[in-house]
Amino acid sequence: MGRQGIHVYSRPLKYRNQTIKLPDGTDHSFLVGQEKGIDIRIGLDIVRLAHRKDFEVALVFSQDQDLSEVADEIRLIAKEQSRFIKIASAFPVSPTYTNSRGINKTDWIPFDRNIYATCIDSRDYRPKTGN
């Protein structure tokens, strides 16, 4: 993606042990990867781009409530710059997924599995290895 001019930002996963109790009563431990700090990076990017007047609408594909403070900041920037800025959060919904809330203080745009499927990029972006 970077070779196509897309700015790519990555963070290493932090791994921690998680233990669950199995139906037979035994414990099973395994490593779980967790991203840390990505919500802060997203928030900083949204605020920076708003200050630069690079967008009028920010669509964030997340339900992370930590980003609700970004919505407050976007409103302040819009007022200071005397312009319209909209911030919305898009998130998946299904009969089995119980969290039906977007990011507080944003417009909510729920989408179902069919819409998600139409957005999948089938391209393999991993570098090709020569034989």
Side-chain angles (χ1 to χ4, degrees):
M1 291 173 77
R3 288 186 299 241
Q4 294 180 338
I6 299 168
H7 178 73
V8 178
Y9 183 85
S10 63
R11 272 215 132 93
L13 293 176
K14 304 288 184 188
Y15 290 91
R16 63 178 179 80
N17 279 317
Q18 182 172 344
T19 303
I20 60 169
K21 190 166 289 294
L22 299 175
D24 66 4
T26 61
D27 290 338
H28 177 71
S29 294
F30 54 96
L31 283 177
V32 175
Q34 282 188 314
E35 46 129 74
K36 291 306 235 175
I38 294 300
D39 53 341
I40 292 170
R41 179 75 257 161
I42 291 169
L44 288 171
D45 285 347
I46 293 169
V47 169
R48 179 176 42 83
L49 293 168
H51 275 295
R52 289 182 5 192
K53 300 181 181 179
D54 284 348
F55 67 85
E56 293 176 355
V57 177
L59 178 58
V60 182
F61 286 82
S62 176
Q63 290 175 287
D64 191 329
Q65 294 304 323
D66 289 344
L67 294 170
S68 64
E69 293 180 46
V70 172
D72 290 333
E73 190 65 24
I74 292 301
R75 283 183 186 79
L76 288 173
I77 293 167
K79 187 174 181 180
E80 289 169 357
Q81 295 179 351
S82 300
R83 69 187 189 101
F84 171 85
I85 306 176
K86 173 69 75 178
I87 183 165
S89 56
F91 55 93
V93 293
S94 78
T96 59
Y97 189 59
T98 59
N99 186 359
S100 61
R101 295 180 55 83
I103 299 168
N104 290 339
K105 305 174 189 172
T106 68
D107 290 359
W108 297 351
I109 304 174
F111 60 89
D112 64 17
R113 183 77 172 149
N114 291 331
I115 292 174
Y116 175 80
T118 64
C119 298
I120 294 175
D121 182 357
S122 61
R123 181 173 171 186
D124 184 349
Y125 289 91
R126 293 174 291 190
K128 305 290 185 236
T129 56
N131 288 344

